[in-house]
Short mmCIF file of all heavy atoms in Angstrom, two decimals:
data_model
loop_
_atom_site.label_atom_id
_atom_site.label_comp_id
_atom_site.label_asym_id
_atom_site.label_seq_id
_atom_site.Cartn_x
_atom_site.Cartn_y
_atom_site.Cartn_z
N ARG A 1 -93.42 18.53 156.01
CA ARG A 1 -92.59 17.32 155.65
C ARG A 1 -92.49 17.16 154.19
O ARG A 1 -93.65 17.15 153.51
CB ARG A 1 -93.07 16.14 156.36
CG ARG A 1 -92.92 16.12 157.82
CD ARG A 1 -93.11 14.73 158.42
NE ARG A 1 -92.21 13.71 157.89
CZ ARG A 1 -92.22 12.42 158.25
NH1 ARG A 1 -93.15 11.97 158.99
NH2 ARG A 1 -91.37 11.62 157.72
N HIS A 2 -91.27 17.09 153.59
CA HIS A 2 -91.22 16.73 152.18
C HIS A 2 -91.04 15.24 151.87
O HIS A 2 -90.75 14.47 152.79
CB HIS A 2 -90.01 17.54 151.64
CG HIS A 2 -88.57 16.87 152.00
ND1 HIS A 2 -88.09 17.11 153.24
CD2 HIS A 2 -87.84 16.03 151.32
CE1 HIS A 2 -86.92 16.42 153.29
NE2 HIS A 2 -86.72 15.79 152.17
N ASN A 3 -91.26 14.87 150.59
CA ASN A 3 -91.03 13.45 150.29
C ASN A 3 -89.75 13.45 149.52
O ASN A 3 -89.63 13.88 148.37
CB ASN A 3 -92.19 13.04 149.25
CG ASN A 3 -92.19 11.56 148.87
OD1 ASN A 3 -91.06 11.07 148.67
ND2 ASN A 3 -93.25 10.93 148.73
N SER A 4 -88.69 12.87 150.23
CA SER A 4 -87.37 12.92 149.67
C SER A 4 -87.17 12.06 148.36
O SER A 4 -86.50 12.55 147.41
CB SER A 4 -86.37 12.34 150.59
OG SER A 4 -86.64 11.00 151.04
N ASN A 5 -87.86 11.04 148.20
CA ASN A 5 -87.80 10.28 146.94
C ASN A 5 -88.47 10.93 145.80
O ASN A 5 -88.02 11.05 144.65
CB ASN A 5 -88.34 8.83 147.13
CG ASN A 5 -87.55 8.03 148.13
OD1 ASN A 5 -86.40 7.95 148.03
ND2 ASN A 5 -88.25 7.41 149.12
N LYS A 6 -89.59 11.59 146.05
CA LYS A 6 -90.34 12.27 144.94
C LYS A 6 -89.54 13.58 144.69
O LYS A 6 -89.54 13.96 143.50
CB LYS A 6 -91.75 12.66 145.57
CG LYS A 6 -92.59 13.31 144.40
CD LYS A 6 -94.03 13.67 144.93
CE LYS A 6 -94.87 14.31 143.83
NZ LYS A 6 -96.15 14.73 144.31
N GLU A 7 -88.92 14.07 145.62
CA GLU A 7 -88.01 15.29 145.43
C GLU A 7 -86.96 14.88 144.39
O GLU A 7 -86.62 15.61 143.43
CB GLU A 7 -87.43 15.86 146.63
CG GLU A 7 -86.53 17.08 146.47
CD GLU A 7 -87.40 18.24 145.96
OE1 GLU A 7 -88.50 18.40 146.13
OE2 GLU A 7 -86.73 19.13 145.19
N LEU A 8 -86.34 13.83 144.56
CA LEU A 8 -85.23 13.28 143.63
C LEU A 8 -85.76 13.04 142.28
O LEU A 8 -85.11 13.29 141.28
CB LEU A 8 -84.55 12.09 144.18
CG LEU A 8 -83.71 12.25 145.52
CD1 LEU A 8 -83.09 10.90 145.94
CD2 LEU A 8 -82.62 13.34 145.30
N ILE A 9 -87.01 12.53 142.25
CA ILE A 9 -87.63 12.27 140.84
C ILE A 9 -87.83 13.61 140.21
O ILE A 9 -87.58 13.73 139.00
CB ILE A 9 -88.92 11.57 141.11
CG1 ILE A 9 -88.66 10.11 141.61
CG2 ILE A 9 -89.77 11.50 139.87
CD1 ILE A 9 -89.92 9.31 141.91
N GLY A 10 -88.39 14.58 140.91
CA GLY A 10 -88.53 15.94 140.35
C GLY A 10 -87.22 16.52 139.93
O GLY A 10 -87.20 17.06 138.80
N GLN A 11 -86.18 16.36 140.64
CA GLN A 11 -84.86 16.91 140.27
C GLN A 11 -84.36 16.18 139.01
O GLN A 11 -83.78 16.80 138.21
CB GLN A 11 -84.00 16.72 141.40
CG GLN A 11 -84.22 17.52 142.69
CD GLN A 11 -84.03 19.04 142.54
OE1 GLN A 11 -83.19 19.52 141.74
NE2 GLN A 11 -84.65 19.80 143.38
N GLY A 12 -84.64 14.87 138.96
CA GLY A 12 -84.21 14.09 137.85
C GLY A 12 -84.88 14.55 136.57
O GLY A 12 -84.23 14.66 135.47
N ILE A 13 -86.24 14.65 136.67
CA ILE A 13 -86.99 15.07 135.41
C ILE A 13 -86.52 16.37 134.90
O ILE A 13 -86.25 16.64 133.78
CB ILE A 13 -88.47 15.05 135.76
CG1 ILE A 13 -88.95 13.64 135.99
CG2 ILE A 13 -89.24 15.77 134.60
CD1 ILE A 13 -90.42 13.67 136.52
N ALA A 14 -86.26 17.30 135.84
CA ALA A 14 -85.87 18.71 135.55
C ALA A 14 -84.42 18.65 134.86
O ALA A 14 -84.19 19.48 133.78
CB ALA A 14 -85.80 19.59 136.80
N ASN A 15 -83.63 17.88 135.41
CA ASN A 15 -82.25 17.84 134.92
C ASN A 15 -82.16 17.03 133.59
O ASN A 15 -81.15 17.07 132.76
CB ASN A 15 -81.21 17.32 135.90
CG ASN A 15 -80.85 18.38 136.89
OD1 ASN A 15 -80.03 19.29 136.58
ND2 ASN A 15 -81.39 18.30 138.11
N MET A 16 -83.16 16.21 133.26
CA MET A 16 -83.17 15.57 132.05
C MET A 16 -83.70 16.46 130.98
O MET A 16 -83.27 16.40 129.74
CB MET A 16 -84.00 14.27 132.10
CG MET A 16 -83.44 13.17 132.89
SD MET A 16 -84.56 11.80 133.22
CE MET A 16 -84.86 11.25 131.59
N VAL A 17 -84.64 17.31 131.26
CA VAL A 17 -85.35 18.20 130.27
C VAL A 17 -84.49 19.50 130.00
O VAL A 17 -84.40 19.90 128.88
CB VAL A 17 -86.78 18.52 130.68
CG1 VAL A 17 -87.42 19.50 129.72
CG2 VAL A 17 -87.62 17.27 130.79
N THR A 18 -83.98 20.03 131.09
CA THR A 18 -83.33 21.37 130.96
C THR A 18 -82.17 21.35 129.98
O THR A 18 -82.10 22.32 129.14
CB THR A 18 -82.72 21.80 132.37
OG1 THR A 18 -83.87 21.86 133.23
CG2 THR A 18 -82.12 23.17 132.26
N PRO A 19 -81.30 20.33 129.86
CA PRO A 19 -80.23 20.41 128.91
C PRO A 19 -80.78 20.32 127.43
O PRO A 19 -80.05 20.85 126.43
CB PRO A 19 -79.46 19.02 129.10
CG PRO A 19 -79.71 18.74 130.52
CD PRO A 19 -81.08 19.18 130.83
N LEU A 20 -81.93 19.88 127.27
CA LEU A 20 -82.54 19.82 125.91
C LEU A 20 -82.90 21.28 125.37
O LEU A 20 -83.08 21.52 124.14
CB LEU A 20 -83.83 19.00 125.85
CG LEU A 20 -83.62 17.52 126.29
CD1 LEU A 20 -84.94 16.74 126.23
CD2 LEU A 20 -82.54 16.78 125.48
N PHE A 21 -82.91 22.21 126.32
CA PHE A 21 -83.11 23.63 126.00
C PHE A 21 -81.96 24.47 126.22
O PHE A 21 -82.01 25.68 126.41
CB PHE A 21 -84.38 24.11 126.75
CG PHE A 21 -85.61 23.52 126.33
CD1 PHE A 21 -86.15 22.39 127.04
CD2 PHE A 21 -86.38 24.01 125.34
CE1 PHE A 21 -87.27 21.80 126.68
CE2 PHE A 21 -87.58 23.36 124.86
CZ PHE A 21 -88.04 22.27 125.52
N GLY A 22 -80.76 23.81 126.40
CA GLY A 22 -79.48 24.52 126.55
C GLY A 22 -79.23 24.86 128.00
O GLY A 22 -78.26 25.58 128.23
N GLY A 23 -80.03 24.48 128.91
CA GLY A 23 -79.80 24.80 130.33
C GLY A 23 -78.75 23.96 130.99
O GLY A 23 -78.46 22.84 130.61
N ILE A 24 -78.16 24.54 132.11
CA ILE A 24 -77.23 23.82 132.84
C ILE A 24 -77.88 23.12 134.00
O ILE A 24 -79.10 23.30 134.33
CB ILE A 24 -76.10 24.79 133.37
CG1 ILE A 24 -76.82 25.86 134.28
CG2 ILE A 24 -75.39 25.52 132.25
CD1 ILE A 24 -75.88 26.95 134.87
N PRO A 25 -77.11 22.21 134.68
CA PRO A 25 -77.79 21.43 135.82
C PRO A 25 -78.35 22.38 136.91
O PRO A 25 -77.85 23.45 137.12
CB PRO A 25 -76.57 20.65 136.32
CG PRO A 25 -75.71 20.41 135.16
CD PRO A 25 -75.79 21.66 134.43
N ALA A 26 -79.40 21.91 137.48
CA ALA A 26 -80.13 22.70 138.48
C ALA A 26 -80.40 21.77 139.77
O ALA A 26 -80.30 20.61 139.65
CB ALA A 26 -81.42 23.12 138.00
N THR A 27 -80.70 22.52 140.87
CA THR A 27 -80.98 21.87 142.07
C THR A 27 -81.85 22.79 142.89
O THR A 27 -82.13 23.87 142.51
CB THR A 27 -79.71 21.32 142.85
OG1 THR A 27 -80.18 20.59 143.92
CG2 THR A 27 -78.97 22.58 143.29
N GLY A 28 -82.31 22.33 144.11
CA GLY A 28 -83.03 23.19 144.98
C GLY A 28 -82.15 24.29 145.51
O GLY A 28 -80.93 24.07 145.93
N ALA A 29 -82.54 25.48 145.56
CA ALA A 29 -81.77 26.66 145.98
C ALA A 29 -82.28 27.13 147.36
O ALA A 29 -83.34 27.51 147.52
CB ALA A 29 -81.97 27.86 145.03
N ILE A 30 -81.46 26.95 148.31
CA ILE A 30 -81.75 27.20 149.79
C ILE A 30 -82.29 28.65 149.97
O ILE A 30 -83.31 28.90 150.58
CB ILE A 30 -80.68 26.77 150.70
CG1 ILE A 30 -80.35 25.37 150.66
CG2 ILE A 30 -81.00 27.24 152.10
CD1 ILE A 30 -79.21 24.86 151.47
N ALA A 31 -81.43 29.57 149.56
CA ALA A 31 -81.79 30.95 149.68
C ALA A 31 -83.06 31.44 149.09
O ALA A 31 -83.91 32.08 149.67
CB ALA A 31 -80.65 31.88 149.17
N ARG A 32 -83.25 30.95 147.81
CA ARG A 32 -84.53 31.26 147.04
C ARG A 32 -85.69 30.61 147.70
O ARG A 32 -86.81 31.16 147.73
CB ARG A 32 -84.36 30.94 145.58
CG ARG A 32 -83.78 31.99 144.80
CD ARG A 32 -83.21 31.58 143.45
NE ARG A 32 -81.91 30.98 143.59
CZ ARG A 32 -81.31 30.26 142.64
NH1 ARG A 32 -81.93 30.08 141.40
NH2 ARG A 32 -80.02 29.80 142.88
N THR A 33 -85.48 29.35 148.16
CA THR A 33 -86.64 28.64 148.82
C THR A 33 -87.04 29.40 150.14
O THR A 33 -88.25 29.50 150.38
CB THR A 33 -86.10 27.20 149.13
OG1 THR A 33 -85.82 26.55 147.89
CG2 THR A 33 -87.24 26.50 149.89
N ALA A 34 -85.98 29.77 150.88
CA ALA A 34 -86.33 30.51 152.19
C ALA A 34 -87.00 31.79 151.76
O ALA A 34 -87.96 32.19 152.54
CB ALA A 34 -84.95 30.84 152.91
N THR A 35 -86.54 32.50 150.75
CA THR A 35 -87.21 33.75 150.41
C THR A 35 -88.75 33.51 149.97
O THR A 35 -89.62 34.26 150.25
CB THR A 35 -86.51 34.42 149.16
OG1 THR A 35 -85.10 34.61 149.64
CG2 THR A 35 -87.12 35.69 148.73
N ASN A 36 -88.93 32.37 149.31
CA ASN A 36 -90.29 31.99 148.86
C ASN A 36 -91.13 31.83 150.04
O ASN A 36 -92.32 32.31 150.09
CB ASN A 36 -90.12 30.71 148.08
CG ASN A 36 -91.45 30.28 147.39
OD1 ASN A 36 -92.24 31.06 146.97
ND2 ASN A 36 -91.75 28.99 147.45
N ILE A 37 -90.65 31.23 151.05
CA ILE A 37 -91.46 31.00 152.28
C ILE A 37 -91.74 32.30 152.98
O ILE A 37 -92.86 32.61 153.47
CB ILE A 37 -90.74 29.96 153.19
CG1 ILE A 37 -90.61 28.56 152.58
CG2 ILE A 37 -91.53 29.88 154.54
CD1 ILE A 37 -89.80 27.55 153.27
N LYS A 38 -90.71 33.09 153.13
CA LYS A 38 -90.84 34.26 153.92
C LYS A 38 -91.79 35.28 153.24
O LYS A 38 -92.34 36.15 153.90
CB LYS A 38 -89.42 35.02 154.09
CG LYS A 38 -88.45 34.29 154.91
CD LYS A 38 -87.13 34.94 155.01
CE LYS A 38 -86.15 34.20 155.91
NZ LYS A 38 -84.83 34.81 155.91
N ASN A 39 -92.00 35.16 151.95
CA ASN A 39 -92.95 36.09 151.31
C ASN A 39 -94.37 35.39 151.10
O ASN A 39 -95.05 35.95 150.29
CB ASN A 39 -92.38 36.44 149.87
CG ASN A 39 -91.22 37.49 149.99
OD1 ASN A 39 -91.55 38.56 150.14
ND2 ASN A 39 -90.02 37.02 149.97
N GLY A 40 -94.58 34.39 151.86
CA GLY A 40 -96.03 33.92 152.02
C GLY A 40 -96.34 32.86 151.05
O GLY A 40 -97.58 32.58 150.90
N ALA A 41 -95.49 32.10 150.49
CA ALA A 41 -95.73 30.93 149.56
C ALA A 41 -96.60 29.99 150.23
O ALA A 41 -96.39 29.72 151.42
CB ALA A 41 -94.53 30.28 148.96
N VAL A 42 -97.56 29.35 149.50
CA VAL A 42 -98.51 28.39 150.10
C VAL A 42 -98.30 26.99 149.55
O VAL A 42 -98.57 25.93 150.18
CB VAL A 42 -99.94 28.88 150.06
CG1 VAL A 42 -100.84 27.87 150.64
CG2 VAL A 42 -100.12 30.21 150.63
N SER A 43 -97.93 26.97 148.27
CA SER A 43 -97.82 25.74 147.55
C SER A 43 -96.71 25.80 146.52
O SER A 43 -96.08 26.74 146.25
CB SER A 43 -99.24 25.45 146.91
OG SER A 43 -99.34 26.32 145.75
#
């Protein structure tokens, strides 16, 4: 089970910092997250 409010906080921090280094907006990537799990990620 994920913490939806904490997830939004994490997304917010990432999108506030990333533009300062020239990066574009980001979010959770479903395909890469699924790949992460299938390859044995623990944390």
Side-chain angles (χ1 to χ4, degrees):
R1 290 189 65 183
H2 73 281
N3 184 323
S4 59
N5 294 313
K6 189 178 178 185
E7 181 62 28
L8 291 181
I9 290 174
Q11 296 287 337
I13 293 172
N15 280 285
M16 289 171 64
V17 175
T18 301
L20 303 180
F21 293 93
I24 60 180
T27 185
I30 296 176
R32 274 163 277 169
T33 299
T35 302
N36 187 40
I37 294 169
K38 290 177 181 178
N39 283 281
V42 180
S43 75

